[in-house]
Amino acid sequence: MANHKSAIKRIRQDKKRALHNKYYAKTMRNAVRKLRAMSNKEEAVKLYPAVQKMLDKLAKTNIIHKNKAANLKSSLALHINKLG
């Protein structure tokens, strides 16, 4: 157990931040899953900017790595282009 007030506070902050980050990472994964499951191109094109914005924000705040965000955006764009 932590012996200092600051260490106790740091543990408390880390738990809160981890929960916050986990929520946004899960939300992002669900959005990506939803976009990949779409078969209608018009709906996918409408949803893509929102997912792209979400990925960029999460990469900016280091919740996901910037290259992971870039790879996801690229694969989703390919998926959308393949839709008929």
Side-chain angles (χ1 to χ4, degrees):
M1 185 60 200
N3 292 324
H4 295 283
K5 254 184 161 179
S6 61
I8 293 168
K9 182 178 178 180
R10 176 66 59 200
I11 290 168
R12 209 169 54 235
Q13 286 174 331
D14 288 344
K15 281 183 188 173
K16 188 175 180 180
R17 285 197 184 107
L19 190 64
H20 178 266
N21 291 346
K22 196 188 298 182
Y23 167 78
Y24 281 103
K26 184 68 175 177
T27 305
M28 177 269 303
R29 283 197 301 274
N30 287 338
V32 169
R33 232 179 256 132
K34 183 179 175 184
L35 188 59
R36 281 206 178 113
M38 285 186 173
S39 55
N40 186 354
K41 188 169 184 165
E42 287 115 31
E43 287 180 24
V45 168
K46 283 182 188 173
L47 183 64
Y48 181 67
V51 174
Q52 190 176 12
K53 184 178 178 182
M54 188 185 303
L55 288 168
D56 287 336
K57 278 186 176 181
L58 293 179
K60 188 173 96 175
T61 55
N62 290 323
I63 294 173
I64 61 171
H65 196 274
K66 65 181 176 123
N67 289 350
K68 180 182 176 78
N71 290 335
L72 282 170
K73 288 193 296 186
S74 174
S75 68
L76 289 172
L78 281 172
H79 171 72
I80 291 170
N81 287 333
K82 285 181 185 176
L83 294 175

